[in-house]
Amino acid sequence: MRGEGEDAITAADIEASAAAGGDAALDRVVDTAMSGRVKEADASWMRARSGGASGVGLVRTIQRRIDLLSELKSGGPEAAMRLGAPRFGPAADTFKQQATLWHDRALDQARQAAFEAERQMKRAGAAPAELLGGDLLLKLALRAEAMSSRR
C-alpha cells in the first residue's frame, strides 16, 4: 500500500483494490491455479475471501475459464476472444500458457469436477460453498502443477 505523500500506484495497491471487489478478484485466483502455482493460488483465494469473494463465484469463474480454454482449442483464438478471453499483455500470455498445459482430457475432467462441486453446493447450501470452492481450486492447481512438471 502507498505511504503518505507517495503518488505512484503499485501492484499491491491494485491487488488490494481488486480484493475489495470480491468476485472480481477471482480471475487472478483462477489464473494462478490453472497455471499450477499451488501456494499462490491458495494465498490469492484467502485474500479474495477476505475481500468478500464467494465459493459459488469461484466455481463459476473456474467453469468460465475451462470453457474459454476449451473454446480456444476447438474454435481457435477468434472464438475464444469473442467469449471474452484475454487479448493482450500478461493475461493473454498466461491464458495461452494454460491452453498448452491443459489438454482436452484434463479439461473434461476439470469440467466434471467443477460440475460436481456446483452440485454439492446446491445440495448443501451456502455454508460449505467456500470450502468446496477452495477444494476444487487446490485440486486443479495440483493437477496443473503435475502436468507442468511432466513437460
Side-chain angles (χ1 to χ4, degrees):
M1 298 304 263
R2 298 184 318 177
E4 192 171 320
E6 291 182 32
D7 291 332
I9 296 174
T10 66
D13 292 329
I14 294 168
E15 188 168 321
S17 295
D23 289 348
L26 292 176
D27 279 328
R28 177 162 166 72
V29 174
V30 173
D31 266 347
T32 59
M34 297 297 281
S35 297
R37 300 190 314 265
V38 178
K39 289 181 182 178
E40 189 178 342
D42 188 42
S44 294
W45 170 231
M46 292 298 110
R47 278 193 305 277
R49 280 189 64 195
S50 70
S54 69
V56 172
L58 176 63
V59 171
R60 288 184 179 152
T61 304
I62 289 170
Q63 289 171 328
R64 177 153 175 72
R65 178 59 53 90
I66 292 167
D67 289 344
L68 287 173
L69 290 169
S70 293
E71 188 63 27
L72 176 67
K73 290 176 168 294
S74 66
E78 295 79 22
M81 301 298 172
R82 281 193 301 272
L83 292 178
R87 296 173 187 253
F88 307 105
D93 295 341
T94 299
F95 182 73
K96 289 173 190 169
Q97 179 267 332
Q98 291 169 3
T100 61
L101 183 64
W102 286 86
H103 53 81
D104 291 338
R105 184 168 177 233
L107 283 172
D108 287 342
Q109 291 169 342
R111 181 178 287 110
Q112 288 303 316
F115 285 141
E116 178 60 23
E118 180 183 21
R119 188 178 67 75
Q120 289 177 357
M121 286 177 184
K122 288 177 180 175
R123 215 175 347 145
E130 280 67 30
L131 295 174
L132 292 166
D135 183 56
L136 174 63
L137 181 79
L138 291 178
K139 284 178 183 176
L140 295 179
L142 288 167
R143 176 76 186 267
E145 180 183 56
M147 290 186 300
S148 180
S149 68
R150 284 187 226 139
R151 291 187 176 256

